[in-house]
């Protein structure tokens, strides 16, 4: 047993390094590595790892799903079902309900629905519920959160490294790459087989990672250098996304962090002075001044009153949803909601996406899931600190999507796991 314990963490770390190397070669050095090859490598690694390390590796992979084949999630749920010995109804029933509703909707569309897309969405949904309600006692939830943070920050670093190599750092700090399907990408085809996120999704990954990292390096079992690297990289990614929602939430999360940790007045004063000095230096620096200028312009932009057009989009989808009782009750389905609603813009509110896609029935389903999770898994007496990840995740999600793009539902899993940590004092 001692040998196994010594070998398996090395195998897990080697698996992560292998995936990182492949994606670096593909995205940074432009090697032609097909999606099938990446899927095959990940599948083999998931199969050979023992169950706890399979879960840890999967948490590292979750943020990478913005740039690896969706079939990885399909293979992941198959492997999880085969290797898990603790399956519950909570992992199965919600997926079955959503699958039946999605397939039912697809059967009556007046256009051809791609079954591969529906299968991909259902695979993400299945992984979401399986991990959310996993009851395996050998899983350390803190380690799951740690590996998600590693995967999320790695994803952000690869995206920005690729942007810098192709466009230069000046284009990033001036905010010229914010628009498009993803940062620096104007053609949706360019996003395929490539790690890519739009500015809002980058900010989302950043704020959720920071919320998790605020749990502390000791709780997440991170070395000080790695912890500082992850924290600084996540902050830099959020700042360079120039997301106003990120700026608002980083302020809220920081205030809640100060409250929950009861930091001394001396520490708060020193931190405030450091922030003010940093902004002063950035404002006067020829290198950093474009960043502060762009942030200022974003805050003062005329479209802030409509939240960048989100208010208009919100009203349009509500108008459509309330136009027919069948949509109000059962929604449109998640994969093709834009086509059904005859809208060109995506929804930018997670709650709205649930009731537009699945109607009142969908809202009831997800409220029930949340209630059961809180009642069954949330550890009582947790300090406010452990709620920061889910607060950051939920609030930011109300400015983007939840169900589609599919990978945006996944950060809720590590955020929810913070509420399942059994020994918060350790």
């Amino acid at each position: 047993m001692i040998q196994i314990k010594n070998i398996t963490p090395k195998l897990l770390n080697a698996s992560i390094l292998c995936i990182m190397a492949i994606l670096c070669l593909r995205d940074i050095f432009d090697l032609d590595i097909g999606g099938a090859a990446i899927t095959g490598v990940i599948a083999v690694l998931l199969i050979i790892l023992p169950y706890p390390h399979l879960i840890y590796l999967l948490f590292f992979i979750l943020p990478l799903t913005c740039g690896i084949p969706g079939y990885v999630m399909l293979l992941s749920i198959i492997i999880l079902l085969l290797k898990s010995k603790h399956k519950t109804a909570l992992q199965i029933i919600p997926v079955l309900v959503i699958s039946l509703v999605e397939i039912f909707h697809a059967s009556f569309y007046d256009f051809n629905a791609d079954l591969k897309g529906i299968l991909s969405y259902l695979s993400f949904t299945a992984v979401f519920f399986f991990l959310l309600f996993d009851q395996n006692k050998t899983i350390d939830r803190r380690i799951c959160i740690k590996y998600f943070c590693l995967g999320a920050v790695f994803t952000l670093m690869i995206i920005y490294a690729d942007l810098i190599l192709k466009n230069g750092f000046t284009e990033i700090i001036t905010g010229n790459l914010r628009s498009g399907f993803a940062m620096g990408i104007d053609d949706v085809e360019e996003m395929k087989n490539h790690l890519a996120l739009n500015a809002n999704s980058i900010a989302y990954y950043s704020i959720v990672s920071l919320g998790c990292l605020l749990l502390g390096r000791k709780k997440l079992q991170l070395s000080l250098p790695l912890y500082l690297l992850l924290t600084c990289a996540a902050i830099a990614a959020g700042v360079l996304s120039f997301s106003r929602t990120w700026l608002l939430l980083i302020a809220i999360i920081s205030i809640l962090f100060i409250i929950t940790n009861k930091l001394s007045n001396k520490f708060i004063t020193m931190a405030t002075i450091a922030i003010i000095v940093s902004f002063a230096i950035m404002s006067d620096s020829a290198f950093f001044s474009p960043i502060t200028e762009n942030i200022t312009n974003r805050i003062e932009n005329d479209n802030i009153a409509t939240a960048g057009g989100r208010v208009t989009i919100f009203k349009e989808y509500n108008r459509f949803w309330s136009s027919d009782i069948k949509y109000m009750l059962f929604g449109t389905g998640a994969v093709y909601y834009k086509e059904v609603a005859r809208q060109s813009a995506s929804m930018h509110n997670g709650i709205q996406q649930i009731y537009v896609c699945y109607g009142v029935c969908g809202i009831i389903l997800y409220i029930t899931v949340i209630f059961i999770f809180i009642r069954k898994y949330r550890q009582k007496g947790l300090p406010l600190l452990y709620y920061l990840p889910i607060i950051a995740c939920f609030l930011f999600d109300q400015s983007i999507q939840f169900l589609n793009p599919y990978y945006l539902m996944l950060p809720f899993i590590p955020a929810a796991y913070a509420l399942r940590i059994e020994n918060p004092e350790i």
Side-chain angles (χ1 to χ4, degrees):
M1 289 298 293
I2 294 177
Q3 289 181 339
I4 293 176
K5 289 182 179 179
N6 288 336
I7 290 173
T8 49
K10 292 181 180 179
L11 181 58
L12 171 62
N13 292 332
S15 300
I16 290 173
L17 289 174
C18 176
I19 295 172
M20 292 172 69
I22 291 173
L23 295 179
C24 282
L25 291 172
R26 185 194 69 176
D27 290 12
I28 303 301
F29 296 97
D30 290 327
L31 263 67
D32 186 16
I33 301 176
I38 294 174
T39 303
V41 169
I42 292 176
V44 170
L45 295 175
L46 292 174
I47 290 171
I48 64 176
L49 284 170
Y51 190 77
H53 295 89
L54 151 66
I55 296 296
Y56 300 150
L57 179 61
L58 191 53
F59 268 83
F60 174 80
I61 292 171
L62 294 182
L64 304 178
T65 51
C66 65
I68 58 177
Y71 287 119
V72 169
M73 288 293 99
L74 176 60
L75 291 173
S76 296
I77 190 60
I78 292 173
I79 294 169
L80 286 170
L81 289 171
L82 292 175
K83 298 186 75 168
S84 174
K85 299 178 181 179
H86 303 277
K87 292 179 278 292
T88 68
L90 291 171
Q91 294 172 302
I92 307 298
I93 293 176
V95 181
L96 288 178
V97 172
I98 290 172
S99 298
L100 289 173
V101 174
E102 195 69 35
I103 293 171
F104 175 81
H105 281 303
S107 301
F108 293 94
Y109 289 150
D110 57 3
F111 53 85
N112 292 326
D114 183 5
L115 294 180
K116 291 181 181 179
I118 295 174
L119 180 61
S120 179
Y121 164 70
L122 295 178
S123 300
F124 276 78
T125 304
V127 170
F128 174 82
F129 282 105
F130 191 96
L131 292 179
L132 190 66
F133 291 110
D134 183 49
Q135 292 191 129
N136 193 297
K137 298 295 184 181
T138 64
I139 305 299
D140 189 332
R141 310 299 167 185
R142 298 170 301 172
I143 305 302
C144 293
I145 296 171
K146 175 180 77 171
Y147 281 112
F148 174 84
C149 291
L150 286 169
V153 174
F154 171 74
T155 300
L156 296 175
M157 292 175 70
I158 290 295
I159 289 173
Y160 275 110
D162 186 46
L163 288 173
I164 292 171
L165 289 173
K166 291 180 178 177
N167 302 278
F169 191 68
T170 303
E171 289 294 294
I172 294 177
I173 63 176
T174 53
N176 292 335
L177 303 179
R178 280 199 94 252
S179 60
F181 291 98
M183 280 192 72
I185 298 177
D186 294 321
D187 186 353
V188 69
E189 290 298 319
E190 295 180 43
M191 296 177 62
K192 295 181 178 179
N193 204 33
H194 200 281
L195 289 174
L197 291 168
N198 63 33
N200 293 323
S201 296
I202 285 176
Y204 179 51
Y205 272 36
S206 167
I207 199 69
V208 176
S209 299
L210 287 171
C212 291
L213 288 168
L214 286 177
L215 294 175
R217 71 175 188 86
K218 292 183 179 180
K219 292 184 179 67
L220 300 181
Q221 299 182 22
L222 289 165
S223 66
L224 180 58
L226 182 56
Y227 181 78
L228 292 175
L229 172 63
L230 294 176
T231 304
C232 291
I235 292 174
V239 170
L240 294 175
S241 72
F242 300 108
S243 165
R244 291 174 296 206
T245 306
W246 186 90
L247 291 171
L248 176 62
L249 282 180
I250 199 67
I252 293 173
I253 295 302
S254 298
I255 292 170
L256 293 177
F257 178 74
I258 292 171
I259 293 172
T260 191
N261 281 275
K262 298 179 181 179
L263 301 176
S264 66
N265 291 332
K266 182 179 179 181
F267 177 88
I268 295 172
T269 302
M270 291 177 63
T272 303
I273 293 173
I275 293 171
I276 293 173
V277 171
S278 297
F279 271 103
I281 294 173
M282 289 174 66
S283 298
D284 291 335
S285 168
F287 184 77
F288 289 110
S289 59
I291 297 177
T292 54
E293 182 180 345
N294 197 29
I295 290 174
T296 303
N297 291 337
R298 288 278 297 159
I299 294 173
E300 296 176 349
N301 196 302
D302 292 339
N303 69 4
I304 195 170
T306 62
R310 286 177 173 82
V311 173
T312 302
I313 296 171
F314 188 84
K315 290 179 179 178
E316 287 298 319
Y317 275 103
N318 277 351
R319 186 178 295 110
F320 165 80
W321 178 70
S322 60
S323 66
D324 195 318
I325 187 64
K326 68 180 179 182
Y327 295 135
M328 294 178 68
L329 290 177
F330 304 108
T332 62
V335 179
Y336 291 101
Y337 75 87
K338 284 199 298 184
E339 288 80 358
V340 176
R342 301 291 193 270
Q343 299 290 328
S344 59
S346 300
M347 270 182 277
H348 281 74
N349 183 279
I351 293 176
Q352 185 186 49
Q353 197 171 54
I354 293 175
Y355 67 73
V356 169
C357 293
Y358 293 120
V360 174
C361 295
I363 288 291
I364 293 172
L365 172 65
Y366 276 95
I367 289 176
T368 303
V369 165
I370 293 170
F371 176 78
I372 293 174
F373 179 89
I374 292 174
R375 185 176 180 181
K376 189 176 181 65
Y377 294 108
R378 179 180 62 91
Q379 298 298 308
K380 296 181 179 179
L382 282 176
L384 178 61
L385 176 69
Y386 292 82
Y387 289 84
L388 295 186
I390 197 67
I391 290 172
C393 192
F394 175 79
L395 291 180
F396 200 102
D397 189 67
Q398 303 322 305
S399 70
I400 51 172
Q401 296 91 27
F402 174 63
L403 300 173
N404 186 0
Y406 320 144
Y407 53 79
L408 293 179
M409 68 177 77
L410 302 179
F412 275 87
I413 307 170
Y417 267 28
L419 304 179
R420 296 185 64 176
I421 296 176
E422 295 182 356
N423 299 303
E425 70 280 357
I426 295 178

